[in-house]
Amino acid sequence: MESRLRLGRCVPIFQRSARQYSEDGQVSILVVLAVGLFLIIFVGFGVDMTNLFLHRQMSQNAADSACVAAAMDMEKQRVNGQCLTAAGTAYPCGNFTVGTNFDCATTPGAAPCQYAALNGYSGASAGIPAAGVESNSVQVTFLTGTPGIPGVATPDISLTGLYPFVKVDVYDGVKVYFSSWLSHSSTQVVHALAKCGLQASTQPIPILVLDPTDPKSFQVSGAATVTILGGPNRSIQVNSDATAGQASGNAAYLGGSGGSTACGNAQVDLCHGGIDFGGSDFGVTGGPPPTPSTFATQSPFGWRAHVVPLQDPFITLPPPPDPGTTSGNGTPVPYGTNGCPDATIIPPGGTVPGCIEYVPGYYKGGINVTNYTAIFDPGVYYIEGGALELHSNSLVRPSTAIGDSSQGTIFYLTCTNPGSCTSGNVANILVGANAGGNVADKFVTSRVHCPGDAPFDGRAGVPPTVDGNVLMAPCTTLGTYVGGLMPNVGTPDTVGSLRGILFFGDRSAGAQETMNGGGGLLLTGTMYFRDCPSLLTTGTCRNPPADYQTVTTMTGGSGSNTRVYGQIVTDQLTMTGNSAITMDLNPWTRPILKVQLLQ
């Protein structure tokens, strides 16, 4: 060993062997290998996780679309009860039964399964895919309102039925590679969940024709034209599922003697419908799919076939209470008294020109107005049997008396056993072709507005005065009648700024409601005519021909017009005659069902 003297110290010098030099760099190689292996594993797990994330997004899209599809058919089943094939055969909408859970392995034809399949999930497995199996499962579960969905309001079951919600679970067995070292399985199951349901919502109600199956449930024929002004952006909704493929024809039928697709020259003219008077839609659940040659509107609105039906907005509204008092045949009053507009006609039994004044109450056998002018005080008119009949040389007008302070009338048309009527004994409406012809003071149309209601939009073209028959519904808060209780509101209707229901037909029997415009006819309010005895007890109607047999016919007489300021809700609607029928729809809202993706 050598030693050198450096700064007074003896420093030994060692000599390294050849073996020691040969081991240099081995640690570096191990480090490189470890880092490389780590990077490979990291990239491998990254590929697996990315693949799982993509499948998670795909499965969520499938769950969402399947859930919404299920909820839409739940709404359709709730509203229409059934759907029809092109041949007219009834089947449950969506090919499933609400309340019966299923998976897509056993029910591949159900609508939610078809939508899941379109998104790449056929639901081949009946349950959650087993470990190592590349497959997927789609499961549909119906939920009651209790416990429902946390954080989501449960709507009134009278609107939705027992199962307002639906849940769709999608399980996807995804092939993995590097992560299988940890899980000891060649697949990982990805789970996506969606919850949808029916929620109570408010929206404007147009002319609504409720019959779910019959062809021509809405029809316009003869030389009549129908013009809609203002209102919601869908002016007419026809719920019938009848299609052109059926031998019986389309749900909506436009078969008049003329007209074209030009605004101002169409049988059904919606060119000035809608909130902005710039056009509106015609919605029909069935057909025809192509736009009829006698229909007109403005772009972007149009004829919309195969739309989801709308629910009856008054589905849980009870009828007005029986007043329990008999109200004779009216009392003669002189011209000018309580708004009597007639200075020329001597009422039967009267001695001076004037009118017959009717007060609210119970009218057995109906009210028949012939050869005189009648005025009606505000309140509820409970008509048992017979009809509200307006015949030759008659005229009807609203009274200016206080009545029940509602400034309008509601006519409830029923029978000897309200709620248990049979066809033929329920009261109805009959406005004769020669009614409304008496010469009297003109009616000032600004009177149709309740206090606080906005005046007519100038684009509606409502004349300042009209001749002929005029009837006005009560002024209300909810748009029903004073004391009426709407679903999801909780408080009775009171006097307000909205015209409510003018005519309310007993739901327990079908009837024929006929309104001609002989000397002019202005109806302000909602006309509600239903045939569905079980509506208040089970919330559903029987399929035609058992129910949905009320037919409302409106026709304009020669040289005069029928004008409606309000809405029509009926089973079937026919419009015919020789002149124009103009409807000034009001965009008042009502509670109805709406489909929502909730989670």
Side-chain angles (χ1 to χ4, degrees):
M1 180 178 64
E2 298 181 19
S3 64
R4 296 179 183 177
L5 183 64
R6 178 177 298 176
L7 300 177
R9 294 181 60 188
C10 183
V11 180
I13 299 177
F14 295 93
Q15 293 183 341
R16 301 178 64 186
S17 66
R19 178 183 176 186
Q20 289 175 315
Y21 280 106
S22 67
E23 293 177 352
D24 284 353
Q26 289 185 13
V27 174
S28 298
I29 294 174
L30 291 176
V31 170
V32 170
L33 290 175
V35 172
L37 180 61
F38 173 78
L39 290 175
I40 292 172
I41 294 173
F42 180 79
V43 171
F45 273 101
V47 170
D48 279 350
M49 293 305 105
T50 300
N51 190 35
L52 290 172
F53 176 78
L54 292 176
H55 277 262
R56 176 67 175 79
Q57 295 298 106
M58 292 168 57
S59 61
Q60 189 62 59
N61 289 339
D64 291 348
S65 62
C67 188
V68 172
M72 290 184 69
D73 281 307
M74 287 168 60
E75 179 190 19
K76 197 170 182 180
Q77 287 192 38
R78 187 64 184 167
V79 176
N80 272 6
Q82 63 181 9
C83 290
L84 296 177
T85 65
T89 303
Y91 68 95
C93 300
N95 288 312
F96 63 84
T97 301
V98 176
T100 302
N101 302 335
F102 62 92
D103 61 71
C104 293
T106 56
T107 316
C113 298
Q114 295 185 40
Y115 274 85
L118 290 172
N119 282 272
Y121 291 86
S122 61
S125 295
I128 300 175
V133 177
E134 289 185 76
S135 184
N136 63 80
S137 174
V138 180
Q139 300 176 5
V140 180
T141 306
F142 297 96
L143 307 175
T144 62
T146 305
I149 300 176
V152 176
T154 298
D156 192 329
I157 63 171
S158 62
L159 289 174
T160 64
L162 295 177
Y163 298 94
F165 306 118
V166 62
K167 179 182 69 168
V168 175
D169 293 276
V170 176
Y171 298 94
D172 187 2
V174 182
K175 181 71 173 177
V176 293
Y177 298 94
F178 290 92
S179 58
S180 64
W181 297 350
L182 298 178
S183 64
H184 304 291
S185 174
S186 60
T187 61
Q188 290 288 330
V189 174
V190 171
H191 177 215
L193 168 68
K195 294 180 181 179
C196 302
L198 304 179
Q199 294 285 280
S201 179
T202 57
Q203 76 172 53
I205 297 298
I207 299 174
L208 179 56
V209 182
L210 296 164
D211 191 305
T213 60
D214 281 4
K216 299 182 181 179
S217 60
F218 173 90
Q219 60 176 315
V220 179
S221 58
T225 61
V226 180
T227 304
I228 306 296
L229 302 173
N233 285 336
R234 177 171 295 173
S235 293
I236 302 174
Q237 168 70 38
V238 179
N239 282 357
S240 176
D241 205 25
T243 66
Q246 296 175 228
S248 52
N250 293 307
Y253 174 74
L254 277 59
S257 56
S260 68
T261 57
C263 293
N265 192 39
Q267 256 195 308
V268 175
D269 190 336
L270 307 186
C271 291
H272 299 291
I275 295 174
D276 295 322
F277 289 81
S280 55
D281 285 336
F282 188 119
V284 55
T285 301
T291 302
S293 60
T294 56
F295 168 81
T297 189
Q298 298 190 71
S299 179
F301 303 99
W303 183 277
R304 312 298 185 194
H306 309 305
V307 300
V308 176
L310 287 180
Q311 188 183 42
D312 175 0
F314 305 110
I315 187 171
T316 62
L317 178 68
D322 186 342
T325 57
T326 301
S327 300
N329 294 315
T331 302
V333 293
Y335 171 66
T337 301
N338 290 334
C340 172
D342 199 330
T344 61
I345 300 298
I346 299 176
T351 58
V352 295
C355 307
I356 296 292
E357 182 177 11
Y358 289 89
V359 298
Y362 181 88
Y363 288 85
K364 183 178 177 61
I367 298 176
N368 188 321
V369 181
T370 305
N371 295 322
Y372 64 89
T373 295
I375 57 175
F376 291 90
D377 291 355
V380 177
Y381 289 77
Y382 211 84
I383 301 179
E384 176 197 306
L388 174 61
E389 300 180 66
L390 311 181
H391 289 296
S392 299
N393 301 317
S394 67
L395 185 70
V396 293
R397 293 285 177 85
S399 162
T400 58
I402 296 298
D404 68 351
S405 301
S406 68
Q407 302 183 43
T409 56
I410 175 172
F411 295 91
Y412 182 63
L413 310 170
T414 185
C415 60
T416 304
N417 298 308
S420 300
C421 301
T422 59
S423 296
N425 72 357
V426 66
N428 63 343
I429 302 290
L430 176 60
V431 182
N434 296 319
N438 282 357
V439 177
D441 294 347
K442 291 181 179 294
F443 179 82
V444 179
T445 55
S446 61
R447 283 183 58 193
V448 306
H449 293 289
C450 298
D453 186 21
F456 285 114
D457 190 302
R459 293 170 292 182
V462 178
T465 60
V466 294
D467 293 313
N469 294 313
V470 179
L471 290 172
M472 300 191 306
C475 292
T476 65
T477 302
L478 303 176
T480 62
Y481 57 86
V482 176
L485 185 65
M486 287 288 281
N488 293 313
V489 176
T491 57
D493 205 347
T494 56
V495 176
S497 61
L498 304 177
R499 289 289 174 190
I501 298 177
L502 177 62
F503 300 127
F504 191 147
D506 191 315
R507 299 182 179 101
S508 63
Q512 303 294 316
E513 315 295 351
T514 304
M515 285 167 273
N516 292 285
L521 180 62
L522 172 61
L523 303 174
T524 302
T526 297
M527 288 175 279
Y528 180 58
F529 299 118
R530 289 300 317 272
D531 171 27
C532 179
S534 60
L535 198 58
L536 289 179
T537 55
T538 65
T540 59
C541 302
R542 296 173 298 170
N543 294 327
D547 289 346
Y548 296 97
Q549 296 305 296
T550 294
V551 181
T552 302
T553 301
M554 300 188 67
T555 176
S558 177
S560 63
N561 292 331
T562 297
R563 190 154 194 147
V564 177
Y565 177 63
Q567 288 83 26
I568 298 176
V569 179
T570 185
D571 293 331
Q572 301 175 40
L573 180 62
T574 298
M575 295 185 177
T576 184
N578 301 318
S579 65
I581 299 170
T582 302
M583 293 199 66
D584 303 286
L585 294 183
N586 194 301
W588 301 328
T589 59
R590 303 286 191 273
I592 63 166
L593 291 181
K594 184 178 181 180
V595 172
Q596 289 187 344
L597 178 63
L598 301 171
Q599 284 186 3

